[in-house]
Amino acid sequence: MIICVLGSGGREHAICKTISLSSKISKIYCIPGNAGTQLLAKNIDLDIDNFEKILKFIKKAKVDLVIVGPEKPLVNGIVNFLENNGIKVFGPRKIPSQLEGSKTFTKNICKKYNIPTANFGIFDKKEDTINFLENSKFPIVIKADGLAAGKGVYISKNLSEAKEAVNEIFNGKFGEAKKILVEEFLKGEEMSFFVVCDGKNFKIFKTAQDHKRVNEGDEGKNTGGMGAYSPSGLINDSLEKKIINKIISPTLKAIDEMGEKYKGFLYAGLMILNNEPFLIEYNVRMGDPECQTILPLLKTDLIDIFIACCSENLENINLEWKDEKSLCIVLCSSGYPDKFTNNIKIDNLNNLKLNNNDFIFHAGTKIENNEIFSNGGRVLNFVSLSSSFKNSRERALKLINQLNWKNGFFRKDIGYKIIDK
Ligand code: AMP
Ligand code: GLY
């Protein structure tokens, strides 16, 4: 089969790497890809938002299956567009992608189907929002509706911080804001819960925990993710049942009752308090860096899973996993998530000796004349599997230290909640 993966992050490199292990693959393309995907696939330099050009390439290259990594093309309807042109695609269509694209879409489903989530109000006027806040308890959470690439969420400690957040959102900091969401602050520990769906059935994919804040001890600004580990230490049979029965199944029922089907990965961002799950948000894709952390644990052929999802045949696939602990540390460009410099050479990558349980997934990298340069805030993902999170972390740290990239920084405490407790 000829496969085309859309995206350019660590998630997409991990997908390319995992499908490259399948005997069913004859060729992989990645649009636009990075220096890591270039080693396994042919990178095609096309704009991921230009659906017409992507279609033209896919037809010319006789691609059998397209796998969409990031949320933006999904929310903008790339699956509908390609399917309407006769192309097989793994990923949700436009309306179900609103689960990530619009927080109010998701909140309205939660209300109708009684899905546990933070109490909330939706406002479309600044004055109404501020009136509501004047009578609220703090901390409180304020969110812009729509895709804000991990930003657009404020946790305000008091009224003046909250007012500033409301002003920034309505003044268009995250694009045109028609609606704003004010939410109760949930206490607890966060967990990422993944399922894969074929439109009729779903299977649990795996759990993980990521570290979104830039500094050690989970302090500082929000980022795309500084590291992750899988499985989550919070998961147990009774919690899993509650997540399925109270959150995942009612959501898929809601999509079904809209006359739509959910096909693809569904990522529930949960807050767990006293073994009870609350939905914080949905994403309609794999997480990044959770994908890089989880895929090395998968024993089942990933291509079989994608094909089964596209033919509503997931029921007949048995998902098998390695019984190991996976931990990922992200090496970032100095300055991230604020200003950073690109185009800094990364020497030494080829000198690192990886064993079978070590993986380096590229994110913001590019290749020029056989040399690798940084090309983004999150640059490389170091993943190790072993029988304990502690050993996995030590191994990943050892490899990062061996690389010794002078422009980089990383968190040394990934997994501290489970390792150092
Ligand atoms: P989101 O983009 O909705 O995932 O929010 C980003 C981050 O803000 C989450 O990963 C949580 O750490 C935090 N957050 C969002 N909503 C809440 C909430 N209702 N209570 C506590 N923390 C939240
Ligand atoms: N790791 C968070 C995300 O992928 O949204």
Side-chain angles (χ1 to χ4, degrees):
M1 287 181 82
I2 303 177
I3 308 285
C4 181
V5 177
L6 301 187
S8 62
R11 170 180 50 215
E12 287 75 23
H13 185 195
I15 292 173
C16 286
K17 168 79 187 169
T18 311
I19 62 176
S20 74
L21 305 173
S22 170
S23 59
K24 300 184 178 72
I25 298 298
S26 55
K27 176 127 195 136
I28 308 174
Y29 293 102
C30 192
I31 302 177
N34 58 36
T37 63
Q38 180 78 353
L39 302 171
L40 307 157
K42 184 167 170 37
N43 284 353
I44 305 294
D45 190 17
L46 287 177
D47 175 2
I48 204 161
D49 296 323
N50 191 330
F51 296 176
E52 290 287 349
K53 279 200 175 152
I54 291 175
L55 175 67
K56 206 167 148 199
F57 169 77
I58 283 166
K59 282 192 163 166
K60 196 171 119 221
K62 300 194 168 25
V63 168
D64 297 298
L65 172 66
V66 177
I67 296 154
V68 189
E71 63 277 16
K72 192 160 172 244
L74 293 169
V75 171
N76 290 336
I78 195 162
V79 175
N80 305 54
F81 176 78
L82 293 177
E83 283 182 350
N84 293 344
N85 283 284
I87 310 288
K88 203 182 270 185
V89 199
F90 175 83
R93 293 168 70 98
K94 189 169 182 171
I95 291 178
S97 295
Q98 290 295 301
L99 284 172
E100 177 162 2
S102 163
K103 294 187 192 298
T104 59
F105 176 91
T106 302
K107 281 295 193 186
N108 288 330
I109 290 180
C110 289
K111 203 167 175 180
K112 186 164 169 202
Y113 291 82
N114 219 359
I115 295 171
T117 187
N119 290 324
F120 65 99
I122 297 171
F123 301 92
D124 52 15
K125 289 199 187 66
K126 200 166 159 173
E127 297 68 38
D128 296 347
T129 323
I130 290 179
N131 279 342
F132 178 84
L133 287 167
E134 279 170 347
N135 298 301
S136 298
K137 280 202 223 113
F138 292 89
I140 205 160
V141 184
I142 298 175
K143 299 183 177 183
D145 197 22
L147 279 187
K151 303 183 188 93
V153 175
Y154 295 79
I155 296 175
S156 305
K157 290 199 260 334
N158 51 47
L159 185 62
S160 81
E161 278 187 27
K163 280 184 177 165
E164 200 179 314
V166 172
N167 279 325
E168 288 192 358
I169 292 173
F170 276 123
N171 289 343
K173 186 161 177 190
F174 309 100
E176 193 194 1
K178 290 208 180 85
K179 287 186 189 141
I180 204 166
L181 209 87
V182 179
E183 273 187 21
E184 165 200 15
F185 176 79
L186 293 174
K187 283 201 205 75
E189 201 174 327
E190 281 182 77
M191 179 173 101
S192 307
F193 189 89
F194 297 91
V195 296
V196 61
C197 315
D198 71 356
K200 271 198 332 209
N201 292 296
F202 70 89
K203 298 236 158 147
I204 295 172
F205 202 66
K206 200 89 193 150
T207 59
Q209 275 178 246
D210 79 341
H211 293 265
K212 287 198 174 112
R213 304 296 196 93
V214 68
N215 297 329
E216 289 181 7
D218 295 327
E219 303 279 343
K221 288 195 172 161
N222 236 354
T223 70
M226 299 295 293
Y229 56 98
S230 173
S232 161
L234 297 170
I235 195 70
N236 55 59
D237 287 349
S238 95
L239 178 62
E240 187 177 287
K241 279 201 191 85
K242 288 180 206 167
I243 295 169
I244 296 298
N245 294 335
K246 295 184 175 186
I247 297 179
I248 305 292
S249 294
T251 303
L252 295 176
K253 183 165 177 242
I255 299 295
D256 209 52
E257 288 180 356
M258 287 174 189
E260 292 283 333
K261 289 177 175 178
Y262 196 97
K263 172 192 55 172
F265 288 117
L266 179 62
Y267 160 0
L270 305 173
M271 191 67 88
I272 310 297
L273 183 63
N274 301 329
N275 216 40
E276 284 295 329
F278 295 85
L279 181 71
I280 297 179
E281 60 157 2
Y282 272 124
N283 297 305
V284 295
R285 52 176 173 80
M286 272 306 283
D288 182 335
E290 290 97 323
C291 187
Q292 299 86 297
T293 316
I294 288 175
L295 286 184
L297 293 168
L298 182 66
K299 287 206 270 186
T300 310
D301 186 330
L302 183 58
I303 279 295
D304 285 344
I305 300 173
F306 289 148
I307 295 171
C309 286
C310 292
S311 51
E312 295 192 353
N313 195 27
L314 189 59
E315 209 177 8
N316 295 319
I317 297 275
N318 191 18
L319 295 192
E320 289 187 276
W321 300 95
K322 293 178 196 167
D323 187 22
E324 281 179 292
K325 313 287 187 210
S326 177
L327 188 136
C328 168
I329 304 177
V330 183
L331 177 63
C332 301
S333 296
S334 296
Y336 175 77
D338 296 320
K339 255 201 174 149
F340 56 85
T341 313
N342 276 333
N343 293 312
I344 313 250
K345 203 162 136 195
I346 308 171
D347 291 316
N348 215 12
L349 256 181
N350 286 335
N351 299 329
L352 299 185
K353 297 262 178 301
L354 304 188
N355 64 35
N356 285 342
N357 280 329
D358 301 324
F359 304 82
I360 297 178
F361 297 118
H362 290 237
T365 64
K366 62 178 182 184
I367 193 160
E368 267 167 22
N369 301 323
N370 283 325
E371 292 190 310
I372 293 175
F373 294 87
S374 62
N375 189 33
R378 293 191 294 170
V379 180
L380 292 166
N381 303 267
F382 289 74
V383 182
S384 265
L385 314 188
S386 78
S387 58
S388 79
F389 285 120
K390 186 165 185 277
N391 290 343
S392 300
R393 183 170 72 184
E394 271 167 19
R395 180 69 191 152
L397 285 171
K398 191 169 173 195
L399 288 168
I400 296 196
N401 286 325
Q402 273 172 14
L403 181 72
N404 195 20
W405 186 49
K406 295 287 183 243
N407 189 49
F409 78 98
F410 53 92
R411 277 182 59 172
K412 293 187 277 303
D413 70 338
I414 300 302
Y416 72 90
K417 282 187 184 149
I418 199 159
I419 296 172
D420 307 323
K421 72 178 175 195

